[in-house]
Amino acid sequence: MPRKARILSESEVYHVMLRGNERKDIFLEEENKQRIIDTLLEKRKKSGFSLYAYCVMNNHAHFIIRTKDEPISIVFKRIGTSYAYYYNNKHNRVGHVFQDRFKSENIADDKYLITAVRYIHNNPVKARICQSAMNYKWSSIDLYLNYEKGLLLLPEISDVLSIFSDDISIAKTKFIEFMHITLRKNT
């Protein structure tokens, strides 16, 4: 039976998730987590997509991107293939690394975008890996909190913060408050 066609986002913004095959851990070591982030940043240069947020857990990873020059299917085929080649080679294995094809949700507006950013940054809190999203090393939250440093690696954070305010100091404060809404509910 053919799989259902992916519905493309009119805004071209997506919340994307990659999961380990059989829900197994595929980002076991810090090197693995850093590799998927580096792969994402490298492919961003070639594909021209914008990256708003990411969070890498042990058995899955979340990304929020806006496609530009290439469709989402091509972007994540490149990312997935590159990481699978690295992972299989490093662990002397063959076969599928990811479960099925990547999953994606369309993000239609700014409200949904900031909600998705909050969701993926709070994923480690929900999984009880840490008590605060601000303490998780393998997400883009630190880039938001350290804005000047963050802009060098992820210039798109300014787009997200501008939803809160045009003044960066006010935007960061409102962003942190917005992040804590979920943190209070989860703890």
Side-chain angles (χ1 to χ4, degrees):
M1 183 168 111
R3 62 184 175 201
K4 194 174 176 182
R6 189 175 307 279
I7 298 172
L8 299 178
S9 172
E10 287 184 28
S11 69
E12 298 181 320
V13 181
Y14 300 90
H15 172 191
V16 178
M17 189 178 82
L18 294 172
R19 182 177 297 284
N21 195 28
E22 299 177 341
R23 297 181 180 244
K24 290 183 179 174
D25 291 349
I26 57 170
F27 306 111
L28 296 166
E29 306 157 352
E30 288 194 359
E31 179 184 338
N32 298 148
K33 290 179 174 95
Q34 189 61 55
R35 180 59 174 247
I36 193 67
I37 293 167
D38 291 346
T39 299
L40 192 68
L41 296 174
E42 174 193 327
K43 301 303 178 191
R44 178 179 66 173
K45 290 178 190 172
K46 290 182 181 178
S47 297
F49 63 86
S50 298
L51 176 63
Y52 296 109
Y54 62 83
C55 182
V56 182
M57 307 286 280
N58 288 346
N59 73 342
H60 70 284
H62 295 269
F63 313 101
I64 299 176
I65 71 161
R66 177 188 303 264
T67 57
K68 289 183 184 169
D69 302 331
E70 296 180 330
I72 190 170
S73 57
I74 299 296
V75 168
F76 274 90
K77 181 178 182 181
R78 284 192 177 138
I79 292 167
T81 300
S82 179
Y83 184 79
Y85 178 80
Y86 152 80
Y87 184 83
N88 282 340
N89 190 43
K90 177 173 177 38
H91 296 284
N92 197 27
R93 63 179 300 279
V94 296
H96 294 283
V97 173
F98 298 107
Q99 178 178 313
D100 301 323
R101 63 181 177 164
F102 68 93
K103 291 186 166 77
S104 67
E105 291 181 9
N106 298 342
I107 296 178
D109 56 34
D110 287 349
K111 183 176 181 184
Y112 193 2
L113 174 61
I114 61 174
T115 301
V117 168
R118 179 175 63 189
Y119 172 80
I120 72 166
H121 284 147
N122 279 304
N123 209 254
V125 176
K126 185 178 178 187
R128 299 179 196 266
I129 294 171
C130 58
Q131 289 186 331
S132 171
M134 283 70 163
N135 297 332
Y136 190 68
K137 179 179 179 180
W138 301 106
S139 80
S140 54
I141 190 72
D142 186 57
L143 302 175
Y144 281 86
L145 301 178
N146 297 298
Y147 181 72
E148 289 75 22
K149 172 186 145 190
L151 281 178
L152 297 174
L153 193 60
L154 210 67
E156 296 89 343
I157 63 175
S158 62
D159 297 340
V160 175
L161 290 175
S162 71
I163 296 168
F164 294 96
S165 174
D166 290 332
D167 181 301
I168 192 59
S169 297
I170 294 169
K172 281 176 60 177
T173 300
K174 287 184 177 183
F175 176 78
I176 291 168
E177 289 170 2
F178 185 73
M179 291 296 295
H180 280 291
I181 292 169
T182 296
L183 292 176
R184 283 191 216 114
K185 288 180 182 176
N186 284 342
T187 56

